[in-house]
Amino acid sequence: MADGLINLTIDGAPVSVPPGTLVIEAAKQAGVLVPHYCYHPGLPVAGVCRMCLVEIEKAPKLQIACATTVTEGMVVKTQAPAAKDARQSVLEFLLINHPLDCPICDQAGECELQDFVFQEGQPGTRYGEFAKRFNPVEDFGPDVLYVPNRCILCTRCVRFMEDVAKEPVLNVSERGDRAFIGIHPEARLDHPWAGNVVDLCPVGSLLSKDFLHKARAWELDKTASICTGCSQGCNITLDTRDEVVVRVRPRPNLDINRYFICDHGRMHYRWMNRGDRIEAPLVKKDGGLHATDWDEAFARVLAILRGASGKAVALVSPGASSEALAATKRLLSGFSWTGAFQVVMGEEAPLSGVPNLALRAERAPNAKGAEQLGYTRDYAQALAAAKSAAVVLVLDEPDCAVETDGALIYAGTVLGEDAACRRAEVVLPIANVAEEEGTFTNLDGREQRYYQAKPAPGMAQPAAWVLGQLAQEMGLAEVQ
Amino acid sequence: MAIGVKVMKRPTQQTSYLRATLKGMALTFSHLLRPKVTMQYPEEKSSKDWTLSSRWRGTHRMLTDEQGRAKCVACGLCPQICPANCIKLVPGEDEEGNRYPLIYEIDEFRCIFCGYCQEVCPEEAIHVGVHYENSEYSRDRFVYDLERLSAQTHPVSTLWDPSDPKGE
């Protein structure tokens, strides 16, 4: 046993944790999930739901695991008859007014009330003869609906707004059985990070309007990804249904975003489902672009690259993976090349309660990675240099106003009707962030991997593969 | 050398077929006098001795509320439980903002009539029907949409009741 650790026993399993650890966290180390509602590791402890009652030897009464710190030699029994009985009673009280409208509730399938009632609740109620309390649905903000009937008053949302977002617009109004979550009469829940209350809500009381009635929790495939909304690099989970991204949720990472993501990132997924994608490689023939196969497209690109010499310019997207950016650099390494990217800027929106967490002004996930690979931010100069370059490669910049006397190669996801890249010699269809695996470097230089959530449309391939294959054909990359 | 065949000497009543023929005819004609069990389908579809079981699981029917709207709230349990994957459901909202199926289709060709959809339905909306006459002139008519499911009028199955396993 290491020094400075406290040894205790939870459900018969010995655990060693640092002093000051809460029993509920120590139990997680022992592999025991103590049922809880008000406790959340990202929020201050409230101890209001009374759900995490456990028996601790030598304590006169049951203790709440979320507000009891560990002591040396403590013996915790989460499954003691008294503790189970107490939790069952708490569940019975919670269900007095809960409407049990699981069939129409968006939370069904990922609802903690459902889980714990199923796990240790009792089959019936003793309050069947009384009518349930009813309050109408309230509109809290741009993306949040409040269904008071389903609320179990865990106050996670209130504590998030007060202590993490530091914009205390929510409270518990009224008292006793009439209590509900109230919002300041002149305020809206429109804080840039307010959407987190939907994730924090253990039941279906706070709902996202964007996700309302869209899919059931059990139909979703979940993929670890990195948010593309800004350069913060928040860890997210992409929820897909039938190969369509329907929801973005935060994935806990204590070093970056803790348990939260901002609303900008949460809503920044629709473009991943665009239907107007380039599905086949296109080559210029008789003045127009014609669909072809990868072999012909590769042959055209190689002919261009082998036949040209001198200057080359790469205009890249700061949303491309580091792998794709490195492959681009390698492909053009035979030329005297310059690479540049431009970043859309927005307003910075920090989350006050978490240090070094904000929606960053730079609205691109991999600007730092591009910079580290030698791409410059001097986009205007690169555009000017493109005019006289022998080869210009545009990587997923569909609105790039490029003009060149040399050969233009465009690797991208979409191609507008009158985009400048329509003049390209070759158009290579590539996958977007939800359709490939890759790496982003966030503003602190932290490299993070994201994974494929859905298949790419048509013949589209990850940009790193396309450019890597070309570099290999050119003899610029190691043969794998 | 010829093979010696042994010829049995039998009494006349056994070598004559008359007796056996008369016996058979007597049995045949006795059926004329017995009660009839044949039903004159399709004029006659049930009789006092035989009806379709109330537990019969046939083509589906969606029950409706007082306003004639389908009771379905698009909870998604029936497509989830369906072992044949024959139910297509797209949830949406109605005019009052309630959860409601935008598309609800059952492919009766794919359906194996297990009745799980009825068993799992929390709103008692989708039912398998006590019904078996399903012929159509084209194959695509066998994908029943919400309107068609709601318009069915046949009785619905009671399914098997574990507390009353013999249906008594």
Short mmCIF file of all heavy atoms in Angstrom, two decimals, chain A residues 100-106 108 209 211-216 218-219 241, chain B residues 73-77 79-80 89-93 97-100 122-123:
data_model
loop_
_atom_site.label_atom_id
_atom_site.label_comp_id
_atom_site.label_asym_id
_atom_site.label_seq_id
_atom_site.Cartn_x
_atom_site.Cartn_y
_atom_site.Cartn_z
N LEU A 100 -44.15 8.56 -15.57
CA LEU A 100 -43.87 7.27 -16.21
C LEU A 100 -44.28 7.26 -17.68
O LEU A 100 -44.87 6.30 -18.18
CB LEU A 100 -44.55 6.12 -15.46
CG LEU A 100 -43.94 5.80 -14.10
CD1 LEU A 100 -44.75 4.72 -13.41
CD2 LEU A 100 -42.50 5.34 -14.24
N ASP A 101 -44.02 8.38 -18.36
CA ASP A 101 -44.34 8.46 -19.78
C ASP A 101 -43.12 8.09 -20.61
O ASP A 101 -42.84 8.71 -21.64
CB ASP A 101 -44.86 9.86 -20.14
CG ASP A 101 -43.89 10.96 -19.73
OD1 ASP A 101 -42.91 10.65 -19.04
OD2 ASP A 101 -44.14 12.12 -20.08
N CYS A 102 -42.43 7.05 -20.17
CA CYS A 102 -41.21 6.61 -20.87
C CYS A 102 -41.40 6.42 -22.38
O CYS A 102 -40.49 6.72 -23.14
CB CYS A 102 -40.68 5.33 -20.24
SG CYS A 102 -40.47 5.45 -18.48
N PRO A 103 -42.57 5.91 -22.84
CA PRO A 103 -42.70 5.74 -24.29
C PRO A 103 -42.52 7.02 -25.09
O PRO A 103 -42.11 6.97 -26.24
CB PRO A 103 -44.11 5.20 -24.47
CG PRO A 103 -44.44 4.57 -23.18
CD PRO A 103 -43.72 5.34 -22.13
N ILE A 104 -42.86 8.18 -24.51
CA ILE A 104 -42.71 9.41 -25.29
C ILE A 104 -41.56 10.26 -24.77
O ILE A 104 -41.37 11.38 -25.20
CB ILE A 104 -44.01 10.25 -25.30
CG1 ILE A 104 -44.48 10.56 -23.89
CG2 ILE A 104 -45.09 9.53 -26.08
CD1 ILE A 104 -45.52 11.65 -23.84
N CYS A 105 -40.77 9.73 -23.84
CA CYS A 105 -39.69 10.51 -23.23
C CYS A 105 -38.39 10.24 -23.98
O CYS A 105 -38.03 9.10 -24.21
CB CYS A 105 -39.56 10.14 -21.77
SG CYS A 105 -38.22 11.00 -20.92
N ASP A 106 -37.68 11.33 -24.33
CA ASP A 106 -36.43 11.18 -25.08
C ASP A 106 -35.34 10.52 -24.25
O ASP A 106 -34.37 10.00 -24.80
CB ASP A 106 -35.94 12.55 -25.53
CG ASP A 106 -36.49 12.91 -26.89
OD1 ASP A 106 -36.99 12.00 -27.56
OD2 ASP A 106 -36.42 14.08 -27.26
N ALA A 108 -35.64 7.96 -22.29
CA ALA A 108 -35.84 6.53 -22.10
C ALA A 108 -34.70 5.75 -22.73
O ALA A 108 -34.32 5.99 -23.86
CB ALA A 108 -37.17 6.10 -22.72
N LYS A 209 -34.22 20.68 -27.65
CA LYS A 209 -35.21 20.83 -28.72
C LYS A 209 -34.68 20.26 -30.02
O LYS A 209 -35.42 19.75 -30.84
CB LYS A 209 -35.52 22.31 -28.94
CG LYS A 209 -36.38 22.93 -27.87
CD LYS A 209 -36.69 24.37 -28.26
CE LYS A 209 -37.02 25.17 -27.03
NZ LYS A 209 -37.06 26.61 -27.32
N PHE A 211 -32.88 17.64 -30.42
CA PHE A 211 -32.92 16.18 -30.45
C PHE A 211 -34.32 15.65 -30.17
O PHE A 211 -34.56 14.45 -30.25
CB PHE A 211 -31.94 15.64 -29.41
CG PHE A 211 -31.74 14.15 -29.46
CD1 PHE A 211 -31.20 13.54 -30.57
CD2 PHE A 211 -32.12 13.35 -28.40
CE1 PHE A 211 -31.02 12.18 -30.62
CE2 PHE A 211 -31.94 11.97 -28.44
CZ PHE A 211 -31.39 11.40 -29.56
N LEU A 212 -35.28 16.55 -29.89
CA LEU A 212 -36.61 16.14 -29.45
C LEU A 212 -37.26 15.17 -30.45
O LEU A 212 -37.37 15.48 -31.64
CB LEU A 212 -37.47 17.40 -29.28
CG LEU A 212 -38.77 17.22 -28.50
CD1 LEU A 212 -38.48 16.87 -27.05
CD2 LEU A 212 -39.61 18.49 -28.57
N HIS A 213 -37.68 14.03 -29.96
CA HIS A 213 -38.38 13.01 -30.74
C HIS A 213 -37.59 12.49 -31.93
O HIS A 213 -38.15 11.91 -32.84
CB HIS A 213 -39.74 13.53 -31.28
CG HIS A 213 -40.64 14.08 -30.24
ND1 HIS A 213 -40.68 13.57 -28.97
CD2 HIS A 213 -41.55 15.07 -30.28
CE1 HIS A 213 -41.58 14.25 -28.28
NE2 HIS A 213 -42.11 15.17 -29.04
N LYS A 214 -36.27 12.73 -31.95
CA LYS A 214 -35.52 12.39 -33.16
C LYS A 214 -35.14 10.92 -33.19
O LYS A 214 -35.25 10.27 -34.23
CB LYS A 214 -34.27 13.23 -33.20
CG LYS A 214 -33.97 13.78 -34.59
CD LYS A 214 -32.77 14.58 -34.43
CE LYS A 214 -32.15 15.48 -35.23
NZ LYS A 214 -30.98 16.10 -34.82
N ALA A 215 -34.68 10.39 -32.09
CA ALA A 215 -34.24 8.99 -32.08
C ALA A 215 -34.37 8.44 -30.67
O ALA A 215 -34.51 9.19 -29.71
CB ALA A 215 -32.78 8.89 -32.54
N ARG A 216 -34.34 7.13 -30.56
CA ARG A 216 -34.38 6.50 -29.25
C ARG A 216 -32.95 6.16 -28.85
O ARG A 216 -32.12 5.83 -29.70
CB ARG A 216 -35.22 5.22 -29.31
CG ARG A 216 -36.59 5.43 -29.88
CD ARG A 216 -37.41 6.38 -29.09
NE ARG A 216 -37.96 5.79 -27.87
CZ ARG A 216 -38.54 6.48 -26.89
NH1 ARG A 216 -38.60 7.79 -26.99
NH2 ARG A 216 -39.03 5.88 -25.85
N TRP A 218 -31.53 3.67 -27.60
CA TRP A 218 -30.95 2.36 -27.91
C TRP A 218 -30.70 2.18 -29.41
O TRP A 218 -30.09 1.19 -29.80
CB TRP A 218 -31.88 1.25 -27.40
CG TRP A 218 -33.29 1.36 -27.88
CD1 TRP A 218 -33.77 0.92 -29.07
CD2 TRP A 218 -34.40 1.94 -27.19
NE1 TRP A 218 -35.10 1.20 -29.17
CE2 TRP A 218 -35.51 1.81 -28.04
CE3 TRP A 218 -34.54 2.55 -25.95
CZ2 TRP A 218 -36.78 2.29 -27.66
CZ3 TRP A 218 -35.80 3.01 -25.60
CH2 TRP A 218 -36.89 2.88 -26.44
N GLU A 219 -31.14 3.12 -30.22
CA GLU A 219 -30.89 2.99 -31.66
C GLU A 219 -29.57 3.63 -32.06
O GLU A 219 -29.15 3.53 -33.20
CB GLU A 219 -31.97 3.71 -32.46
CG GLU A 219 -33.33 3.12 -32.30
CD GLU A 219 -34.39 4.04 -32.88
OE1 GLU A 219 -34.14 5.26 -33.03
OE2 GLU A 219 -35.48 3.54 -33.17
N ARG A 241 -27.44 7.42 -36.09
CA ARG A 241 -28.56 6.51 -36.28
C ARG A 241 -28.72 6.32 -37.78
O ARG A 241 -28.84 7.31 -38.52
CB ARG A 241 -29.84 7.13 -35.71
CG ARG A 241 -31.05 6.26 -35.89
CD ARG A 241 -32.29 7.08 -35.59
NE ARG A 241 -33.43 6.21 -35.51
CZ ARG A 241 -34.59 6.45 -36.11
NH1 ARG A 241 -34.74 7.53 -36.81
NH2 ARG A 241 -35.57 5.62 -36.00
N VAL B 73 -47.55 6.27 -30.05
CA VAL B 73 -46.77 7.45 -29.69
C VAL B 73 -45.34 7.37 -30.21
O VAL B 73 -44.49 8.13 -29.81
CB VAL B 73 -46.75 7.68 -28.17
CG1 VAL B 73 -48.15 7.94 -27.64
CG2 VAL B 73 -46.12 6.52 -27.44
N ALA B 74 -45.09 6.43 -31.10
CA ALA B 74 -43.77 6.28 -31.73
C ALA B 74 -42.66 6.06 -30.72
O ALA B 74 -41.60 6.66 -30.82
CB ALA B 74 -43.47 7.49 -32.61
N CYS B 75 -42.91 5.20 -29.73
CA CYS B 75 -41.89 4.98 -28.70
C CYS B 75 -40.74 4.14 -29.22
O CYS B 75 -39.66 4.14 -28.65
CB CYS B 75 -42.49 4.33 -27.47
SG CYS B 75 -42.93 2.60 -27.69
N GLY B 76 -40.98 3.40 -30.30
CA GLY B 76 -39.87 2.65 -30.90
C GLY B 76 -39.65 1.27 -30.33
O GLY B 76 -38.65 0.64 -30.64
N LEU B 77 -40.55 0.79 -29.49
CA LEU B 77 -40.32 -0.53 -28.90
C LEU B 77 -40.63 -1.66 -29.88
O LEU B 77 -39.96 -2.68 -29.89
CB LEU B 77 -41.16 -0.71 -27.63
CG LEU B 77 -40.73 0.14 -26.44
CD1 LEU B 77 -41.60 -0.15 -25.24
CD2 LEU B 77 -39.29 -0.12 -26.07
N PRO B 79 -40.41 -1.79 -33.34
CA PRO B 79 -39.31 -2.09 -34.27
C PRO B 79 -38.11 -2.70 -33.56
O PRO B 79 -37.33 -3.44 -34.16
CB PRO B 79 -38.94 -0.74 -34.87
CG PRO B 79 -39.81 0.26 -34.28
CD PRO B 79 -40.78 -0.38 -33.38
N GLN B 80 -37.95 -2.37 -32.29
CA GLN B 80 -36.80 -2.89 -31.54
C GLN B 80 -36.99 -4.38 -31.23
O GLN B 80 -36.08 -5.17 -31.38
CB GLN B 80 -36.65 -2.09 -30.24
CG GLN B 80 -35.47 -2.48 -29.39
CD GLN B 80 -34.16 -2.17 -30.08
OE1 GLN B 80 -34.09 -1.32 -30.95
NE2 GLN B 80 -33.12 -2.89 -29.70
N LEU B 89 -40.48 2.69 -38.56
CA LEU B 89 -41.08 3.75 -37.75
C LEU B 89 -40.19 4.98 -37.82
O LEU B 89 -38.99 4.90 -37.57
CB LEU B 89 -41.22 3.28 -36.30
CG LEU B 89 -41.59 4.33 -35.26
CD1 LEU B 89 -43.00 4.82 -35.48
CD2 LEU B 89 -41.45 3.77 -33.87
N VAL B 90 -40.78 6.11 -38.17
CA VAL B 90 -40.07 7.39 -38.10
C VAL B 90 -40.86 8.28 -37.17
O VAL B 90 -42.00 8.63 -37.46
CB VAL B 90 -39.92 8.03 -39.50
CG1 VAL B 90 -39.27 9.39 -39.37
CG2 VAL B 90 -39.11 7.15 -40.41
N PRO B 91 -40.30 8.64 -36.01
CA PRO B 91 -41.06 9.45 -35.07
C PRO B 91 -41.08 10.92 -35.48
O PRO B 91 -40.19 11.40 -36.17
CB PRO B 91 -40.30 9.26 -33.75
CG PRO B 91 -38.92 8.91 -34.15
CD PRO B 91 -38.98 8.26 -35.49
N GLY B 92 -42.11 11.60 -35.04
CA GLY B 92 -42.22 13.03 -35.31
C GLY B 92 -43.22 13.64 -34.36
O GLY B 92 -43.55 13.04 -33.34
N GLU B 93 -43.67 14.83 -34.70
CA GLU B 93 -44.62 15.51 -33.84
C GLU B 93 -45.90 15.77 -34.59
O GLU B 93 -45.88 16.02 -35.79
CB GLU B 93 -44.04 16.87 -33.42
CG GLU B 93 -43.21 16.81 -32.18
CD GLU B 93 -42.70 18.18 -31.81
OE1 GLU B 93 -43.50 19.14 -31.88
OE2 GLU B 93 -41.52 18.29 -31.48
N GLY B 97 -47.86 19.09 -30.92
CA GLY B 97 -46.53 18.90 -30.33
C GLY B 97 -46.37 17.57 -29.63
O GLY B 97 -45.41 17.37 -28.91
N ASN B 98 -47.33 16.66 -29.79
CA ASN B 98 -47.19 15.35 -29.16
C ASN B 98 -46.38 14.43 -30.05
O ASN B 98 -46.39 14.56 -31.27
CB ASN B 98 -48.57 14.72 -28.93
CG ASN B 98 -49.41 15.54 -27.99
OD1 ASN B 98 -48.92 16.03 -26.98
ND2 ASN B 98 -50.67 15.72 -28.34
N ARG B 99 -45.71 13.49 -29.42
CA ARG B 99 -44.94 12.50 -30.15
C ARG B 99 -45.90 11.62 -30.94
O ARG B 99 -46.90 11.15 -30.41
CB ARG B 99 -44.15 11.65 -29.16
CG ARG B 99 -42.94 11.04 -29.75
CD ARG B 99 -42.27 10.14 -28.75
NE ARG B 99 -41.43 9.24 -29.49
CZ ARG B 99 -40.16 9.44 -29.73
NH1 ARG B 99 -39.56 10.48 -29.24
NH2 ARG B 99 -39.46 8.58 -30.44
N TYR B 100 -45.60 11.42 -32.22
CA TYR B 100 -46.53 10.74 -33.10
C TYR B 100 -45.74 10.13 -34.26
O TYR B 100 -44.73 10.69 -34.66
CB TYR B 100 -47.53 11.79 -33.64
CG TYR B 100 -48.74 11.21 -34.32
CD1 TYR B 100 -49.75 10.60 -33.58
CD2 TYR B 100 -48.88 11.27 -35.70
CE1 TYR B 100 -50.86 10.06 -34.20
CE2 TYR B 100 -50.00 10.74 -36.34
CZ TYR B 100 -50.98 10.14 -35.57
OH TYR B 100 -52.07 9.61 -36.19
N PRO B 122 -46.61 -0.25 -25.11
CA PRO B 122 -47.06 0.31 -23.84
C PRO B 122 -48.37 1.08 -23.96
O PRO B 122 -49.00 1.38 -22.96
CB PRO B 122 -45.91 1.24 -23.44
CG PRO B 122 -45.30 1.65 -24.72
CD PRO B 122 -45.50 0.52 -25.68
N GLU B 123 -48.76 1.41 -25.16
CA GLU B 123 -49.97 2.20 -25.37
C GLU B 123 -51.13 1.34 -25.84
O GLU B 123 -52.21 1.87 -26.14
CB GLU B 123 -49.71 3.30 -26.41
CG GLU B 123 -48.60 4.26 -26.03
CD GLU B 123 -48.97 5.14 -24.85
OE1 GLU B 123 -50.13 5.59 -24.77
OE2 GLU B 123 -48.09 5.34 -23.98
#
